[in-house]
Amino acid sequence: MNKPLMKEMHTFGEQKENQSSPSKKPTPPKPQNAITIAVSSRALFNMDREQDIYEQQGMEDYLKYQIQHEIEPFAPGPAFPFIKAVEAVNTRLRELYPDSEELFDVVLMTSNHAHVGLRLINSINHYQLFIERFCMTGGNSLIGYLKAYHANLYLSADSLKVREAIEEGIAAATVFSPGKITEVQETQLRVAFDGDAVLFSDESERIYKAHGLAKFFEHEKAHENKPLDHGPLKGFLEALGKLQQKFYAKGQRLDCPIRTYLVTARSAASSGTRALKTLRSWGLEIDEALFLAGAPKGPMLEKIRPHIFFDDQMFHVEGAAELGTVAAHVPYGIAQKFQSKTARDVKKEMPAKQLE
Amino acid sequence: MEDKKNYSGPLMIALQYNDLFDLDSTSTSTNTDVLPKGRAFTFIKAVQAVNERLVEQNKTESLLFEVILIAKECSEEIKMKIVESVKHYGLEIGKFFFYKKEELINTLQSNKVKLFLSTERDDVYEALHTGIPAALLYDQADDHVLNRLKVIFSGDVIGFSEDSLDSLSDFGFSETQIQTFKAAKICMKEFAVLIGQMRGRFGKENSPLCTCVLTSWGSRNVCASALKTLREWGVDVDEAFCLAGAPCSPILAVVKPHILWDGGLHNMRDLSTQCQ
């Protein structure tokens, strides 16, 4: 070799940890034991400018730009605070259970070319994120890789990829940037879920859409004791619950670094009961259940300040984002047929392929 | 870097005949002259597709793939069948070499192959240890793959410095295995440079040739080191995967490479815990 190869412990930015010795840094858990969160590069980092270059000037210019700016880390993207909070949970879990592999595992899953790889790795180093696993597929589909990693959740800024994942039975959501920056907790991961078509199936929503509110109430009351079918994110709530139990087992219920919320348009007085009973029948706990009886979700979420909020309706996603919550759209169920076209939707339908 | 200029085509690849044709299936005993397709079939078709595109772009292109077929200890009958079958399938095989078992290394060396590709791991490792560039022909379970020729370079072998390869003993690799990785590291460069040049003949999209880096054990920075080194060698990488110890097989099943150049790193692990 003419040039000495770069030692693996040195990087392009500052590197505080000694990475050459495997025993000093915790090893990532085996995928089947961990709760794997796959995140796309544009969900994790802000790549708006680069995406514009790609859309307007094409692939070659886009890649050239990325390489030219290789040592500049990206700014954080919408899923960044969520990932940071997830890592904080891992730190607590490792303290309590040093030999356990029941941890979060964050995998960078992107259809970007490996040309962008160095800039992404530099950015991960810059923020000292614990992301050791990634797939950069150079434009190929991510589905096979999501399955190979047993992804429990896939977050992306590309709604087409998210839809594909949902259709393949993978819990997925399209992440949107909030309209304003909100401070979120660093020490407690807060995840908020809508009920119907997110945690639960869309069966009740179908009734509402087909027959109206009165019929919906009637139906829910009549079937109060019949658990709803599960929705695409039930598994993720279950995974969070499993980790919560580990903290409870060590007497840390009050101080638990994971908190879950149900934020639903159902009302406490009537249709809400079926939701709670369903969760109970699944053996799942949710820390706070907020029944809004149809009121907008944005202000409530602004109070809660979750790191992420999942909803199947763009109306709620946008309402939440406007008031500073990182909201993620779950493209599942009957509501997808009835979305009114918002400005965001129109932009998304433009033919530009998304590299992320 | 001066040595890049000394590397030139054609890119000669040696294949073993029992990878190209399936000799185990019962139809070899029938009286047809044509042998059934073997595991290397999708590979050779992909290679031919690359050559076609290269020639399309430049009729006088000298950096083309050239495939030679080597066969050990064949009966005259099999030799005939091999030649007939190659003709029958329209395969572009440059030369045939029939040799005695012990002569494998000599045969490869005297033909100056740039890559010996085989599904026989022991043959591959033996070749590496004598300084012959060798890689595993990955067994494609599904032969309805895209026509793209996919080459995987190991991010661990390239990204770890020679001294740090010793640290792989922490993951349970033996001294012999580590020596094989080191041998692979030395042999890899010329082939990588040529593949890089070939890849550069095509644009970012729609290329019949695809280069990948797979880092099985090293950290993301080992992978970054590999990407940088490959870039210095003139190889622009299309796809990159970093596994940090996760099982390889599920990922490889999705990537579906033809050539897996890692000195055996992906499979030589504690089978009871990782591999499937």
Side-chain angles (χ1 to χ4, degrees):
Chain A
M1 309 285 158
N2 292 339
K3 276 193 201 166
L5 286 176
M6 193 167 301
K7 281 193 179 159
E8 56 285 3
M9 51 188 135
H10 295 159
T11 62
F12 315 94
E14 293 298 357
Q15 183 58 26
K16 291 172 189 139
E17 289 167 47
N18 177 352
Q19 298 211 2
S20 66
S21 169
S23 49
K24 291 206 177 124
K25 204 174 175 192
T27 23
K30 291 191 203 61
Q32 59 265 41
N33 297 338
I35 293 162
T36 303
I37 297 176
V39 63
S40 79
S41 51
R42 285 179 62 220
L44 184 61
F45 297 123
N46 181 328
M47 291 169 77
D48 289 344
R49 184 172 181 160
E50 289 77 7
Q51 179 66 20
D52 285 339
I53 294 176
Y54 174 65
E55 283 174 21
Q56 286 155 23
Q57 295 166 234
M59 175 74 88
E60 300 276 341
D61 283 355
Y62 164 79
L63 290 176
K64 236 181 255 161
Y65 182 90
Q66 292 282 30
I67 292 171
Q68 270 163 11
H69 295 258
E70 211 158 69
I71 56 170
E72 291 167 32
F74 294 108
F80 189 93
F82 172 69
I83 298 297
K84 273 301 231 195
V86 155
E87 290 190 358
V89 174
N90 268 4
T91 307
R92 292 274 298 270
L93 280 169
R94 285 199 167 98
E95 278 165 20
L96 293 176
Y97 300 90
D99 298 319
S100 173
E101 290 217 317
E102 283 176 333
L103 297 162
F104 285 113
D105 184 27
V106 180
V107 177
L108 178 67
M109 190 70 75
T110 173
S111 61
N112 252 310
H113 271 248
H115 293 72
V116 192
L118 286 168
R119 192 174 182 194
L120 286 167
I121 293 171
N122 284 344
S123 302
I124 291 172
N125 286 339
H126 175 84
Y127 296 106
Q128 295 188 297
L129 296 175
F130 191 77
I131 298 177
E132 293 297 344
R133 294 185 167 142
F134 50 81
C135 294
M136 298 175 192
T137 69
N140 294 323
S141 165
L142 300 172
I143 298 296
Y145 300 104
L146 287 169
K147 289 183 179 174
Y149 268 114
H150 306 278
N152 295 86
L153 180 67
Y154 170 49
L155 296 177
S156 168
D158 180 355
S159 57
L160 289 173
K161 291 198 178 72
V162 169
R163 201 166 315 194
E164 205 192 337
I166 290 271
E167 280 164 17
E168 292 284 330
I170 300 166
T174 316
V175 196
F176 291 95
S177 291
K180 57 177 193 179
I181 310 293
T182 307
E183 288 259 340
V184 282
Q185 278 263 339
E186 286 188 8
T187 52
Q188 184 183 62
L189 172 67
R190 294 184 179 177
V191 185
F193 300 88
D194 171 35
D196 297 279
V198 173
L199 290 178
F200 313 123
S201 75
D202 68 340
E203 59 195 86
S204 299
E205 234 170 65
R206 284 176 183 266
I207 294 177
Y208 167 60
K209 289 277 193 286
H211 304 290
L213 199 55
K215 206 64 185 172
F216 167 76
F217 281 139
E218 209 183 283
H219 183 268
E220 292 306 287
K221 196 86 184 127
H223 293 88
E224 205 174 85
N225 293 310
K226 177 164 180 269
L228 291 156
D229 219 344
H230 68 85
L233 259 63
K234 177 224 176 191
F236 185 61
L237 175 66
E238 197 162 13
L240 291 175
K242 232 174 60 176
L243 291 182
Q244 283 178 309
Q245 290 297 329
K246 297 186 77 158
F247 288 101
Y248 302 163
K250 297 267 180 173
Q252 294 195 12
R253 188 179 276 269
L254 288 179
D255 195 26
C256 186
I258 302 174
R259 197 161 178 83
T260 55
Y261 304 80
L262 173 67
V263 182
T264 172
R266 285 179 181 249
S267 65
S270 52
S271 50
T273 318
R274 192 178 181 198
L276 289 177
K277 287 193 174 182
T278 302
L279 287 172
R280 197 181 307 155
S281 77
W282 292 342
L284 295 184
E285 288 180 25
I286 201 145
D287 296 302
E288 287 186 40
L290 300 133
F291 298 102
L292 298 174
K297 298 186 180 182
M300 181 58 67
L301 289 162
E302 204 183 355
K303 285 207 187 75
I304 295 171
R305 294 171 182 245
H307 292 89
I308 196 161
F309 164 59
F310 297 102
D311 201 300
D312 66 306
Q313 298 191 48
M314 278 305 295
F315 170 73
H316 290 303
V317 167
E318 290 183 340
E322 250 165 71
L323 294 183
T325 298
V326 174
H329 179 231
V330 182
Y332 174 81
I334 192 77
Q336 307 321 305
K337 299 207 178 89
F338 291 88
Q339 311 270 32
S340 53
K341 283 212 164 87
T342 60
R344 237 195 255 263
D345 284 340
V346 172
K347 186 168 188 239
K348 282 261 176 285
E349 274 164 53
M350 279 166 67
K353 184 173 136 187
Q354 291 197 41
L355 255 191
E356 60 100 64
Chain B
M1 295 174 80
E2 318 107 68
D3 19 21
K4 259 162 61 175
K5 290 198 192 131
N6 295 335
Y7 300 153
S8 61
L11 213 167
M12 191 173 305
I13 299 183
L15 274 184
Q16 290 181 317
Y17 78 120
N18 51 333
D19 281 332
L20 188 56
F21 301 116
D22 182 0
L23 297 159
D24 294 330
S25 82
T26 50
S27 44
T28 47
S29 58
T30 66
N31 60 2
T32 61
D33 286 329
V34 172
L35 297 163
K37 300 179 189 177
R39 287 167 289 192
F41 228 78
T42 53
F43 165 73
I44 204 162
K45 286 292 181 183
V47 156
Q48 287 178 194
V50 174
N51 277 356
E52 265 166 39
R53 288 277 300 271
L54 284 169
V55 168
E56 235 173 61
Q57 287 178 187
N58 175 7
K59 287 201 193 78
T60 61
E61 176 68 72
S62 61
L63 181 58
L64 294 171
F65 283 114
E66 195 179 311
V67 180
I68 67 169
L69 201 59
I70 58 178
K72 59 181 158 190
E73 296 176 357
C74 286
S75 66
E76 283 308 311
E77 194 197 345
I78 296 288
K79 283 186 195 172
M80 286 291 300
K81 283 195 180 184
I82 290 172
V83 177
E84 276 307 309
S85 306
V86 165
K87 226 189 285 173
H88 172 84
Y89 291 114
L91 302 177
E92 285 158 24
I93 303 281
K95 302 184 186 113
F96 298 82
F97 288 95
F98 301 103
Y99 64 96
K100 289 207 205 43
K101 193 169 174 197
E102 335 56 88
E103 290 170 6
L104 170 65
I105 299 303
N106 287 341
T107 312
L108 294 170
Q109 276 171 342
S110 55
N111 282 292
K112 298 196 179 60
V113 301
K114 303 269 199 304
L115 179 66
F116 167 50
L117 202 59
S118 172
T119 55
E120 295 285 330
R121 292 169 209 280
D122 292 332
D123 286 346
V124 171
Y125 306 151
E126 193 194 339
L128 282 172
H129 280 284
T130 59
I132 295 170
L136 201 65
L137 174 67
Y138 198 70
D139 203 340
Q140 301 261 358
D142 166 358
D143 72 350
H144 296 300
V145 254
L146 297 171
N147 236 3
R148 289 167 63 172
L149 179 65
K150 267 195 167 182
V151 183
I152 292 187
F153 294 106
S154 165
D156 303 277
V157 172
I158 299 178
F160 274 115
S161 66
E162 192 150 331
D163 295 332
S164 298
L165 277 173
D166 291 318
S167 73
L168 285 172
S169 58
D170 288 344
F171 296 118
F173 290 103
S174 72
E175 185 54 43
T176 322
Q177 289 168 337
I178 291 176
Q179 289 308 319
T180 312
F181 305 150
K182 290 187 178 179
K185 190 178 177 67
I186 297 168
C187 301
M188 211 186 270
K189 187 174 173 189
E190 183 180 0
F191 178 76
V193 167
L194 290 172
I195 286 286
Q197 284 173 8
M198 234 188 231
R199 178 68 189 84
R201 307 273 202 262
F202 305 105
K204 298 287 183 287
E205 296 170 291
N206 263 322
S207 167
L209 172 61
C210 177
T211 51
C212 311
V213 168
L214 177 71
T215 308
S216 303
W217 289 101
S219 66
R220 60 179 184 256
N221 293 314
V222 172
C223 188
S225 181
L227 287 171
K228 253 219 152 188
T229 302
L230 283 163
R231 189 192 280 174
E232 282 167 24
W233 292 352
V235 185
D236 277 332
V237 180
D238 296 301
E239 301 176 21
F241 304 92
C242 200
L243 267 50
C248 274
S249 317
I251 301 293
L252 285 173
V254 185
V255 179
K256 294 203 182 77
H258 295 95
I259 298 172
L260 176 52
W261 198 321
D262 70 351
L265 220 150
H266 74 286
N267 72 304
M268 296 200 294
R269 292 194 229 172
D270 179 2
L271 291 166
S272 61
T273 57
Q274 293 280 17
C275 261
Q276 28 242 54

